Amino acid sequence: MPNVDSSEAPAGDPGTSLTEQMRWLHARVRHHHPQVHRIAIALYDSRHDTLKTYVDSSDVADRLALYERPLADVPSLFELAHNHSARVIDDMVKLQPPHGEHTLWLLAHGYRSSYTVPLYLSAKLLGFLFFDSRRQGLFDSRLLHELQIYVQWCRLSVFNMFNLSLAVAGLATSAGARAHLRDIETGRHLDRMSSYSRLIAKAVAPQFGRDDEFIEHVYLFSPLHDVGKVGVADNLLLKPGRLTDEQRLAMQEHVALGERLIEEMMLEGGIVSTPYFQVLKNIVRFHHEFLDGSGYPQHVAGDAVPLEARIVATADIFDALTSIRPYRTPCSNDEALLELKRMADAGQIDPRCVSALARSRGSVTSIQQKFGLTA
């Protein structure tokens, strides 16, 4: 088995992105096994029962990206997940049609053999790790044995990513429970809002040069956008009518509270700063800022408002408009989209995010039906 010098390895290093870790790992694999032409990880989203491209390293420019399918629509992977078993394909050309989009992409790029390993956190399916080669029959028993160290490195990288993310989410949930956070239909709102955020992120990512890793981190961290509300008094948080100007200013303090809570949670959990946690911090800090500087609390404008915050702001406003509130009736989806367009035309929110949501009406309706809102 090849020796891997862990002192040189960024894999599992919280200071690097998972994409960077994957490229490092692939370079090490190809040093010993140059015909392993691609390594990729697809994530499994249990809330939507879908597989989604996440990170990869390959020798092609047009990577398989922004791809997702229900796990049930990929029977071979569904079986691997069910059986907790790995799989070797010696020659993809011999696979019986019809082929899925993933297999068609691999064949179109000359890949012929593959090795697939399901990834688990305890008993929870996280996704799949793929090794692909343009050589038939590459993944014999000897190579599989030698690849196990790299499989473990990949597991470590993904586990660290999810463990750190789950630690923050878990600490936030505990903080919320301690503070008796009882915002209106909080759970369903967060499910809808994070799903809308992913729809938008997936649509606009190519325009901003962002990848699948960015999309999934927006999805993962968007539910924590209002974590600072755990420090807001219930008489404000649950007030049935509109807030006074003084109360509104007090409510706006939840952004600063959220920032401090995130920092405290990272210290409490022994979590060091990472590139992807900057996405979380930006969401918490900037999701109430507007592009024209009229938002709060910092009144920053334009490019100073990070993309992830623009995405979450659009998703959050849309869900607020279409949800039942004690002081008003909900808007229809069409009415809410018109209001978002008005805000975009006024320079407050990003028109590309609004357009992305408007182009996804069918998916929006499906999210609302799945997570308890009929619009």
Side-chain angles (χ1 to χ4, degrees), residues 235-299:
N235 67 313
L236 293 182
L237 195 64
L238 303 175
K239 183 177 178 180
R242 294 187 180 278
L243 301 177
T244 66
D245 289 343
E246 183 179 357
Q247 289 171 332
R248 187 174 295 106
L249 288 174
M251 178 69 85
Q252 290 177 2
E253 286 297 313
H254 80 271
V255 175
L257 289 170
E259 286 188 71
R260 291 199 296 271
L261 182 58
I262 290 297
E263 294 294 340
E264 290 170 5
M265 286 190 300
M266 292 177 70
L267 289 173
E268 181 181 339
I271 301 169
V272 297
S273 183
T274 67
Y276 57 91
F277 268 4
Q278 190 61 48
V279 173
L280 168 61
K281 293 178 183 179
N282 286 344
I283 287 172
V284 172
R285 186 178 186 184
F286 294 104
H287 72 281
H288 284 299
E289 303 289 353
F290 286 155
L291 300 183
D292 63 356
S294 64
Y296 69 85
Q298 300 177 82
H299 306 290

Side-chain angles (χ1 to χ4, degrees), residues 2 155 183 294 333:
R155 281 195 174 113
D183 203 355
S294 64
N333 287 345

Side-chain angles (χ1 to χ4, degrees), residues 39-246:
I39 305 178
I41 293 174
L43 294 186
Y44 174 64
D45 180 357
S46 59
R47 280 192 293 174
H48 295 275
D49 192 29
T50 56
L51 281 177
K52 305 173 289 187
T53 48
Y54 184 40
V55 294
D56 76 353
S57 176
S58 66
D59 56 358
V60 299
D62 57 328
R63 300 181 304 111
L64 180 65
L66 307 177
Y67 169 73
E68 61 182 285
R69 294 286 294 174
L71 179 59
D73 288 357
V74 191
S76 59
L77 295 182
F78 181 87
E79 183 178 355
L80 295 186
H82 179 73
N83 296 330
H84 288 233
S85 58
R87 177 192 67 183
V88 171
I89 297 176
D90 288 324
D91 189 354
M92 297 183 202
V93 173
K94 296 181 180 179
L95 291 175
Q96 293 295 317
H99 300 315
E101 183 178 340
H102 182 205
T103 301
L104 291 173
W105 183 89
L106 290 168
L107 289 170
H109 288 79
Y111 296 108
R112 289 295 177 265
S113 59
S114 71
Y115 173 43
T116 305
V117 183
L119 301 175
Y120 288 88
L121 181 60
S122 299
K124 179 181 179 181
L125 177 67
L126 296 181
F128 295 89
L129 170 63
F130 304 95
F131 296 87
D132 300 303
S133 174
R134 293 191 175 84
R135 176 180 164 183
Q136 289 180 223
L138 179 71
F139 298 99
D140 57 21
S141 58
R142 177 179 177 181
L143 178 55
L144 295 187
H145 176 70
E146 295 189 2
L147 285 179
Q148 292 314 300
I149 189 170
Y150 302 109
V151 170
Q152 296 308 318
W153 273 107
C154 288
R155 281 195 174 113
L156 175 64
S157 297
V158 176
F159 288 177
N160 283 348
M161 185 74 65
F162 275 87
N163 281 332
L164 290 173
S165 303
L166 290 171
V168 171
L171 286 168
T173 301
S174 297
R178 289 194 300 268
H180 305 292
L181 179 60
R182 298 190 305 274
D183 203 355
I184 298 168
E185 61 165 9
T186 299
R188 288 176 293 170
H189 161 65
L190 296 181
D191 282 331
R192 291 192 303 266
M193 189 277 299
S194 60
S195 297
Y196 298 150
S197 294
R198 188 176 186 278
L199 278 180
I200 298 168
K202 185 177 178 182
V204 303
Q207 302 173 53
F208 289 88
R210 305 300 180 92
D211 57 14
D212 285 301
E213 187 175 0
F214 170 81
I215 294 167
E216 294 311 317
H217 294 160
V218 170
Y219 176 57
L220 184 66
F221 292 130
S222 55
L224 295 174
H225 66 296
D226 273 338
V227 67
K229 283 186 176 179
V230 301
V232 175
D234 280 356
N235 67 313
L236 293 182
L237 195 64
L238 303 175
K239 183 177 178 180
R242 294 187 180 278
L243 301 177
T244 66
D245 289 343
E246 183 179 357

